Amino acid sequence: MTVNLKEFNWEQIKQTFWDLFIQITTIPAHITGSKEINLTEEPLWLLTTNIAFWLLTAIIVWFILMLLWKTMSVFR
């Protein structure tokens, strides 16, 4: 089976991944305590929230892998 790379719509794929990467565009005022933060206008907030999101995701994946590894070692 050969895959022709020209069949893929790379622009659509890139846009889909970008949409998944930036899912939060506004932080409401009741969370920040003072004002609503528009992340599209605040690049530092956008960077911080994305780093926090991916760090949390990595920690969750690591925890699941450790739990799986410990469970498998019990049944050996």
Side-chain angles (χ1 to χ4, degrees):
M1 180 174 115
T2 59
V3 176
N4 186 0
L5 295 178
K6 292 181 181 180
E7 292 176 9
F8 293 112
N9 184 351
W10 292 109
E11 286 301 315
Q12 181 65 37
I13 293 171
K14 183 174 71 173
Q15 185 63 41
T16 302
F17 277 108
W18 184 249
D19 289 344
L20 288 173
F21 185 69
I22 302 176
Q23 297 178 9
I24 301 170
T25 57
T26 304
I27 299 177
H30 69 275
I31 293 176
T32 61
S34 59
K35 65 173 188 148
E36 184 177 88
I37 298 173
N38 185 355
L39 295 177
T40 57
E41 297 173 0
E42 303 278 348
L44 183 60
W45 275 100
L46 183 61
L47 178 64
T48 306
T49 55
N50 278 313
I51 289 172
F53 170 76
W54 290 112
L55 183 63
L56 184 63
T57 303
I59 290 170
I60 291 170
V61 168
W62 177 79
F63 179 76
I64 290 171
L65 289 175
M66 286 291 115
L67 191 62
L68 182 65
W69 179 69
K70 290 287 186 184
T71 305
M72 288 174 53
S73 67
V74 167
F75 290 107
R76 283 188 186 173

